[in-house]
Amino acid sequence: MIRIGICDDEEAVRDSLRFMLEKILDEKNEQIVYEFSDGQTASSWIRKHPGEIDLLFLDIEMKTQNGMDAAKQIRQHDKNISFVFVTGYAEYVYEGYEVEAMGYFIKPVTQMQLEQLMNRVRKRLRISDEQSTFCFKNSDGTYRIPKSDILFLESEKRQVHIVTTNRTYTIYAKLDALSDNFTGDGFVRIHNRYLVNSNHISHIDSDAVTIFNHSLPFSRSHKKDAVAAIARNLVKES
């Protein structure tokens, strides 16, 4: 799923861009999920909901906060979101490189420009999904988050809690079914309830590992293999 946001202080511009995008989006896998009328609202919302938007179209000249400043703030909290600037002026194009913008369109945007852009976005996110991100859905929405941000996964009855550096997500799933998604990414099963990211382990003792402020126990059945796997991963990182 590719989730798209549009940020422009002119409703007519938002409507026009949405209309053109809807003509080329795959209804099953791509959708416009949020619209913002100013940069400040967009940056504030994404700060609280990192990973919920994959692609954000940003106007640069807006009243309360311009799109370039908003993008710089958003980038501090969401390293994976892709930006496309839509503006009436060409003077900001080089500044867009600072936030790794995928595109910079001078108004009016054409249908061909959007089609070419979406092809690049699809390719980038497909590669990203395969290599470094974990995608899942819960009652709050659909998420794509970097595996490197995940501290550990905890199984509790029919749910799995995905604990990251910023927040915890809960999904209905079995930990056994999710484990294959993390093969070869430094994740180690230390217990029937815990799959941990060895890159975040700060301490290991005879009974548990410490990740940030979390002390997670080894189970007897997993301890020997888990300790060996953690050691191998730590050697790879050094």
Side-chain angles (χ1 to χ4, degrees):
M1 174 66 72
I2 298 177
R3 297 148 302 167
I4 300 168
I6 299 173
C7 181
D8 197 298
D9 59 357
E10 295 184 42
E11 184 177 0
V13 175
R14 295 197 305 272
D15 290 344
S16 176
L17 185 55
R18 183 180 66 250
F19 180 73
M20 286 192 292
L21 281 167
E22 287 174 345
K23 287 183 176 180
I24 61 174
L25 296 182
D26 179 344
E27 293 183 2
K28 294 183 179 179
N29 299 305
E30 300 163 359
Q31 61 180 314
I32 299 166
V33 291
Y34 295 104
E35 292 187 23
F36 307 97
S37 59
D38 63 82
Q40 192 171 25
T41 301
S43 60
S44 176
W45 190 90
I46 293 173
R47 182 174 67 251
K48 297 174 183 177
H49 303 85
E52 291 193 35
I53 292 180
D54 303 304
L55 176 66
L56 180 62
F57 287 86
L58 271 167
D59 183 22
I60 292 183
E61 297 82 15
M62 292 185 287
K63 295 174 183 177
T64 58
Q65 183 184 47
N66 74 50
M68 193 63 69
D69 289 341
K72 291 175 181 177
Q73 288 187 4
I74 292 168
R75 183 59 80 207
Q76 295 176 16
H77 304 285
D78 193 325
K79 303 298 183 185
N80 293 287
I81 189 170
S82 296
F83 297 117
V84 177
F85 292 109
V86 182
T87 180
Y89 304 90
E91 60 193 73
Y92 297 98
V93 64
Y94 295 108
E95 199 173 349
Y97 288 109
E98 295 181 28
V99 292
E100 302 175 27
M102 278 203 73
Y104 192 103
F105 295 152
I106 304 298
K107 297 177 182 177
V109 182
T110 68
Q111 196 79 46
M112 182 175 292
Q113 286 176 315
L114 289 177
E115 289 177 2
Q116 292 172 344
L117 170 76
M118 286 307 302
N119 287 334
R120 288 193 288 124
V121 171
R122 290 164 184 141
K123 183 176 180 180
R124 172 188 280 191
L125 292 181
R126 183 169 61 250
I127 294 172
S128 178
D129 284 348
E130 293 172 353
Q131 295 180 347
S132 61
T133 61
F134 178 52
C135 300
F136 59 91
K137 179 185 289 188
N138 63 15
S139 58
D140 295 323
T142 302
Y143 298 86
R144 178 185 287 105
I145 60 175
K147 293 178 183 177
S148 60
D149 284 353
I150 299 175
L151 304 179
F152 61 90
L153 288 83
E154 178 185 11
S155 175
E156 183 180 24
K157 296 181 180 178
R158 297 181 180 180
Q159 297 180 324
V160 172
H161 305 297
I162 304 164
V163 182
T164 75
T165 51
N166 295 315
R167 61 182 286 190
T168 298
Y169 307 84
T170 299
I171 61 176
Y172 284 95
K174 292 184 178 180
L175 191 55
D176 288 342
L178 297 180
S179 296
D180 288 345
N181 291 281
F182 299 93
T183 302
D185 293 308
F187 285 80
V188 177
R189 191 74 174 265
I190 65 168
H191 192 283
N192 283 341
R193 291 188 60 196
Y194 298 107
L195 179 68
V196 305
N197 187 343
S198 60
N199 298 313
H200 288 293
I201 292 175
S202 58
H203 180 72
I204 305 175
D205 60 30
S206 59
D207 299 314
V209 300
T210 301
I211 299 180
F212 281 54
N213 296 320
H214 305 275
S215 179
L216 308 176
F218 288 110
S219 68
R220 290 184 180 180
S221 60
H222 286 86
K223 182 178 178 181
K224 182 178 179 180
D225 291 339
V227 170
I230 291 169
R232 288 195 299 271
N233 289 331
L234 293 177
V235 168
K236 290 179 183 178
E237 292 295 316
S238 63

